[in-house]
Amino acid sequence: MLRGGLVTGAGLAAVPLLGSGASAAWRPSGRPVLTHGVQSGEATAETAVVWTRADRASRMLVEVSRRPDFRGARVLRGPLLGPDSDFTGKVRLRGLPAGERLHYRVRAESLDRHGLNSQPLVGSLRTAPRKGGVRFVWTGDIAGQGWGIAPDLGGMKIFRAMRAARPDFFLCSGDTVYADGPLAETVTLPDGRIWRNIVTPEKAKVAETLAEYRGQFSYNLLDDHLRAFAAEVPQVNQWDDHEVTNNWYPGEVLTDTRYTERRVDVLAGRARQAFHEWLPTGSDRVYRKLSYGPRLDLFVLDMRTFKDVNDGNTYADRRRGLLGAEQRAWLIHELKRSRATWKVIAADLPLGLVVPDGATAQEGVAQGDAGAPKGRELEIAEVLSAAHRARVKGIVFLTADVHYTAAHHYDPSRAAVADFTPFWEFVSGPAHAGAFGPNALDGTFGPEAVFVHAPPVANTSPAEGYQHFGEVVIDGETGAFRVDLRDADGTSLYNKTLLP
């Protein structure tokens, strides 16, 4: 199939943008160089996206094969890599065999001399199965709170542990970068050790320009562990707040004096373009459904683009919320029509944890009132109620955001509302950021904190532990859904097996 039917959808062209750190007029001589490795994403049963970046204008070339020696591979001509896309590019591979590990090799070809190519970079990916089980990992919150890449302390070691798990894909539950968290060159740890950050110009201040937002994503790929992980594990990315700025919502005007551009809508537009340029996303829409055989449908939410203002979150207006009317209707419709054993809802904000935004406003769904749904809880109640009435089974929520790991069970017997089916929510993170928590639980939907692993003090550094990722293994025969909440070394701190 690969030899005869593989085609490319190189139409994943980037939005016209200004390059960061490279001018369109600058023409380096010699071979092109791939500067930030290779990544893959959105791997379905038949398609996948492959990403790279070059140091100059060039043509992206991709080979794909069932064989690691690339014997019999077919060369696919991808898009031009130029300053309009910050020299990044993607190729959508089509006609792939389902449920197999495939190998890809990427080069950049000189525009001045045909056949003059960069040194190749290789990667691999696994396509989604038509049948059988699935294994994946998730986490969020990467390089935040001043904790950047510190090579002498091992770098972002959690990505080494996730890579060792050999997952079929990686779900990043938001805060893929910290665009609002400048890095200092050194930080003194509580035991007197010195944390030495790699610092780039874009990471030395809050991101405002397009070049600075691009620099947030390029920075993370300086880490050896993350780059090796990205070359082997397809990604599914969603955004939260720190891709733009802390706790943002559309229409907000910042009062933070670090910013000269204070219109959040302007900043969010630049951040969104950098997000799609530098990550192997498959479309410009953040919310989407991905299917992984008969056992798993993954519903990725966008809880930022349509978010209402952060206030007390006690209103009665059902037109407001985090999802917006269109996404809410989409989620209900797709949950009802799903025939997968498990419907995993990837939410970048947890449902029952209170996440304040200052003294009087709320950032998340909950607000600490254990009574009937109010504010943003109204639309969550609508989704849960509609799924319950349609007898939708197998809903599990996965999330990050709060910088600790936990397992929450929601049950109407403990709740202020009765028309929903009991479900679990599993929280993970951070991946390489300050650890916090735990947060208070709101009783509206009857959550119980069955397991919590949080640090003793706020902003505990990655060097002191409390970094987490979650692993899900769905058995292809029985349909059993096993969750392990793991630390940065891969040790399981808690596990739970759910039966279909």
Side-chain angles (χ1 to χ4, degrees):
M1 185 179 293
L2 277 168
R3 287 194 297 271
L6 187 66
V7 296
T8 175
L12 293 172
V15 181
L17 300 170
L18 182 66
S20 62
S23 166
W26 181 61
R27 297 290 294 273
S29 61
R31 295 178 182 273
V33 175
L34 299 181
T35 60
H36 289 77
V38 291
Q39 304 180 78
S40 68
E42 310 284 311
T44 69
E46 296 181 344
T47 69
V49 173
V50 170
W51 174 100
T52 197
R53 181 185 186 271
D55 68 338
R56 69 197 72 184
S58 51
R59 170 75 66 179
M60 182 178 177
L61 305 175
V62 181
E63 297 172 85
V64 185
S65 176
R66 283 187 165 110
R67 298 170 56 110
D69 62 3
F70 291 92
R71 187 175 178 181
R74 183 175 173 184
V75 179
L76 307 173
R77 288 178 62 80
L80 290 174
L81 310 178
D84 287 350
S85 64
D86 203 17
F87 303 97
T88 67
K90 309 175 195 178
V91 169
R92 184 185 293 278
L93 310 176
R94 302 181 189 274
L96 302 178
E100 291 194 28
R101 178 154 295 276
L102 305 176
H103 303 271
Y104 62 90
R105 183 162 58 190
V106 182
R107 292 182 175 90
E109 182 183 46
S110 170
L111 299 184
D112 297 322
R113 180 179 164 188
H114 179 70
L116 183 64
N117 298 333
S118 69
Q119 290 295 318
L121 294 179
V122 298
S124 65
L125 62 91
R126 184 171 179 83
T127 52
R130 295 282 186 199
K131 59 181 179 179
V134 182
R135 177 191 301 268
F136 68 95
V137 293
W138 93 94
T139 188
D141 318 305
I142 303 171
Q145 286 73 47
W147 309 110
I149 302 167
D152 56 345
L153 293 176
M156 298 187 188
K157 294 184 290 185
I158 193 170
F159 288 96
R160 180 179 63 191
M162 288 195 292
R163 180 186 175 203
R166 300 287 291 171
D168 297 326
F169 69 91
F170 165 53
L171 167 64
C172 187
S173 300
D175 292 340
T176 54
V177 297
Y178 275 74
D180 58 341
L183 298 177
E185 290 186 359
T186 61
V187 183
T188 302
L189 297 172
D191 61 5
R193 287 180 298 165
I194 302 299
W195 179 289
R196 292 180 173 84
N197 284 315
I198 294 175
V199 182
T200 62
E202 294 86 356
K203 292 295 292 186
K205 65 179 292 292
V206 295
E208 299 178 82
T209 68
L210 189 53
E212 289 165 351
Y213 278 110
R214 286 168 166 168
Q216 309 304 307
F217 293 92
S218 67
Y219 177 83
N220 284 1
L221 289 171
L222 297 177
D223 181 77
D224 292 340
H225 301 305
L226 194 158
R227 205 164 54 249
F229 176 75
E232 293 184 8
V233 182
Q235 302 171 39
V236 177
N237 287 283
Q238 66 186 146
W239 71 348
D240 190 31
D241 56 335
H242 292 287
E243 286 84 358
V244 181
T245 190
N246 187 47
N247 295 352
W248 74 275
Y249 52 85
E252 183 181 9
V253 177
L254 301 176
T255 58
D256 190 334
T257 57
R258 297 178 300 169
Y259 289 85
T260 55
E261 175 55 74
R262 299 186 182 181
R263 296 169 296 173
V264 164
D265 289 352
V266 174
L267 299 175
R270 295 167 181 167
R272 178 187 285 270
Q273 292 182 338
F275 177 90
H276 288 295
E277 281 182 334
W278 277 86
L279 293 173
T281 57
S283 72
D284 290 338
R285 196 172 84 170
V286 175
Y287 75 86
R288 61 218 188 268
K289 185 188 86 169
L290 297 166
S291 294
Y292 295 88
R295 292 301 188 188
L296 174 64
D297 278 347
L298 177 65
F299 301 86
V300 182
L301 301 186
D302 181 354
M303 303 173 88
R304 287 290 155 187
T305 302
F306 314 101
K307 192 174 193 277
D308 60 356
V309 63
N310 286 352
D311 58 16
N313 196 26
T314 58
Y315 54 79
D317 187 351
R318 294 181 177 273
R319 295 170 298 179
R320 292 179 58 181
L322 289 164
L323 304 178
E326 182 178 315
Q327 182 178 190
R328 189 164 62 246
W330 163 84
L331 179 58
I332 291 171
H333 175 74
E334 292 297 332
L335 285 172
K336 288 180 177 180
R337 69 189 294 265
S338 173
R339 296 296 176 263
T341 307
W342 298 101
K343 295 87 174 168
V344 169
I345 300 178
D348 54 286
L349 287 168
L351 297 188
L353 291 173
V354 180
V355 185
D357 182 17
T360 59
Q362 297 296 331
E363 153 73 350
V365 175
Q367 73 290 94
D369 181 344
K374 298 177 182 177
R376 294 165 182 157
E377 294 169 338
L378 291 168
E379 67 176 353
I380 301 302
E382 180 182 342
V383 171
L384 295 177
S385 176
H388 178 70
R389 292 195 304 271
R391 299 184 179 181
V392 177
K393 305 293 185 183
I395 291 178
V396 177
F397 282 81
L398 300 182
T399 189
D401 183 63
V402 288
H403 295 232
Y404 66 95
T405 192
H408 301 146
H409 183 248
Y410 291 76
D411 194 304
S413 67
R414 297 187 294 264
V417 292
D419 58 339
F420 70 90
T421 303
F423 65 92
W424 285 83
E425 173 187 60
F426 297 99
V427 185
S428 193
H432 188 83
F436 292 83
N439 292 43
L441 274 171
D442 181 309
T444 295
F445 297 109
E448 176 189 4
V450 178
F451 174 79
V452 173
H453 190 248
V457 296
N459 201 17
T460 295
S461 83
E464 298 164 71
Y466 298 97
Q467 307 291 298
H468 308 100
F469 71 94
E471 180 184 35
V472 173
V473 179
I474 303 176
D475 187 274
E477 295 296 326
T478 67
F481 185 105
R482 177 182 167 115
V483 180
D484 279 86
L485 301 179
R486 300 185 180 275
D487 66 14
D489 295 321
T491 302
S492 179
L493 306 174
Y494 170 84
N495 69 79
K496 178 69 178 179
T497 298
L498 309 178
L499 299 179

